Amino acid sequence: MSQADFESKSPRPGRPRSEAARIAILRAAHQILMEDGLGRLTVEAVAERARVGKPTIYRYWRNAQELVMAAFLADPAPAQAMDDAGAARGRLQAQMNHLLDTFDTVRGRQIALTMAAADPESELAKAFRTRIMLQCREEGRSILTEAESRGEVHLTAGIETILDLIYAPVFYRLLVGHKPLSREFGSGIVDLVWTSICIRPSREIS
Amino acid sequence: MSQADFESKSPRPGRPRSEAARIAILRAAHQILMEDGLGRLTVEAVAERARVGKPTIYRYWRNAQELVMAAFLADPAPAQAMDDAGAARGRLQAQMNHLLDTFDTVRGRQIALTMAAADPESELAKAFRTRIMLQCREEGRSILTEAESRGEVHLTAGIETILDLIYAPVFYRLLVGHKPLSREFGSGIVDLVWTSICIRPSREIS
DNA sequence: TATTTACGTTACGATACGTTTCATAATGAG
DNA sequence: CTCATTATGAAACGTATCGTAACGTAAATA
């Protein structure tokens, strides 16, 4: 009788895990990330704030990095209701605005930093960035591929490169901080990319 | 007689600082960054590898972060001799290739990570990123503004936004690692941006 | 009831930070 | 030459943190 069998047959013997403790830990971690930033988060501090023992934290997560990622994912940003009806360019712009609203925040920067600081090849980092990046990137992809099928744009340069051109500058300014993010910046990005890929180039933007 | 006066009048009394120690420290730090990465560099390890005392390190630099930045700056990447004669687009492409050669390395990623992990508002971080970013960014700016003065491109979207579109995707892939950097990627970036800003749009690229 | 698993507290050994103390070294001034 | 000064590396210090072990108690199942 393996453990899997055991679990499927009846509840485990012994004390059950405390969901209240788990939630308190995730909340405490998130608060510390917002107040002190990624570099100052310690398991000790989280344990103290959540009023739990360190062993409890280590029962759920292997290290601080894993806890941090879990904390961000446990408190997901609000998804935007995407309007499927409008023009592709307008939808891309709206989505960019939503991305800026979501990431031009303390939280956004800490998320980006967490992603950057992780070993890119680790399964943990892959899973995290998939979760963080997937929604907006897939929306962008969907907008662009639909526009392509309507003959409005060409994606010759490769959809992945185009998506990077759209989203990377946000991330870049978020992390490097050499210039602020702004709606104007977001519009500039969308304008540049759209001008490049649209099949009927429109010079009236100049 | 202030310290500045003192220094300008005659050599300081007492034992002079050891340039050999300073160089050994910077080299050791750089080696550890290349082998273990930013997150694993400790002052203790640098001191041991450089065969110096910790107080010696702290006499020169206030903390590990400052030392890391100094180590990267002490070993600058080779500057590319820029050919002023070619077409702007080709020069931009060549510069992008050089940027990829320089940054698609262990060192490049550690530099980017160092920049990202620093508090963007600190004077130290500002100075560091200025040093790291200034050369390639100013070259790109120069290429584009010359092309603009020749009536080849328009920079309506703002030169800063355009420069971010060119360089951010490199940084993004370098840090996030969701897809590799490549010459093809670099060409894709330059193509997309060029198509967007050039005044005579050329459709033969599609 | 006994057994099992989870809990928080406490303690542990290891590592690292930034600083102090110390003996020695390396200079310039008198 | 002596003396004063500054730098050096080794050693030590107090503090913080990591990840884990030990412990008494709690909360469940059989």
Side-chain angles (χ1 to χ4, degrees), chain A residues 16-179:
Chain A
R17 288 193 163 177
S18 164
E19 184 65 7
R22 195 183 71 87
I23 287 171
I25 293 164
L26 291 171
R27 282 195 179 144
H30 197 271
Q31 284 168 4
I32 289 169
L33 286 163
M34 296 299 102
E35 293 168 15
D36 301 335
L38 178 68
R40 293 184 198 277
L41 179 134
T42 63
V43 172
E44 301 239 6
V46 173
E48 186 174 343
R49 184 179 287 230
R51 295 193 169 89
V52 303
K54 284 201 289 179
T56 301
I57 295 179
Y58 285 105
R59 265 190 281 270
Y60 287 95
W61 301 282
R62 280 189 304 179
N63 51 43
Q65 187 172 69
E66 205 169 299
L67 170 59
V68 164
M69 291 181 181
F72 282 130
L73 295 178
D75 190 3
Q80 181 190 26
M82 294 308 296
D83 181 2
D84 285 0
R89 181 168 170 167
R91 284 165 61 203
L92 196 59
Q93 182 63 66
Q95 194 232 15
M96 170 58 79
N97 290 340
H98 177 64
L99 183 74
L100 287 170
D101 289 344
T102 303
F103 277 88
D104 189 14
T105 57
V106 170
R107 177 184 153 93
R109 174 170 154 79
Q110 297 305 317
I111 287 178
L113 196 49
T114 301
M115 201 159 29
D119 168 15
E121 298 307 314
S122 72
E123 295 307 315
L124 182 69
K126 287 179 185 174
F128 185 64
R129 71 182 180 235
T130 299
R131 291 287 296 281
I132 296 293
M133 290 165 63
L134 196 65
Q135 185 181 329
C136 77
R137 199 172 177 93
E138 291 309 309
E139 281 167 6
R141 188 192 305 272
S142 168
I143 292 167
L144 292 177
T145 49
E146 282 177 29
E148 185 190 33
S149 68
R150 289 199 295 262
E152 298 172 1
V153 301
H154 62 86
L155 305 177
T156 321
I159 183 72
E160 296 299 334
T161 299
I162 293 165
L163 290 172
D164 279 354
L165 245 82
I166 294 166
Y167 300 116
V170 176
F171 187 81
Y172 188 56
R173 287 196 176 186
L174 198 48
L175 278 186
V176 177
H178 61 296
K179 290 214 181 286

Side-chain angles (χ1 to χ4, degrees), chain B residues 98-105 108-109 111-112 132 170 174 181:
Chain B
H98 177 65
L99 183 74
L100 287 169
D101 289 345
T102 303
F103 277 89
D104 189 12
T105 56
R109 172 170 155 80
I111 287 178
I132 296 292
V170 175
L174 198 48
L181 289 169

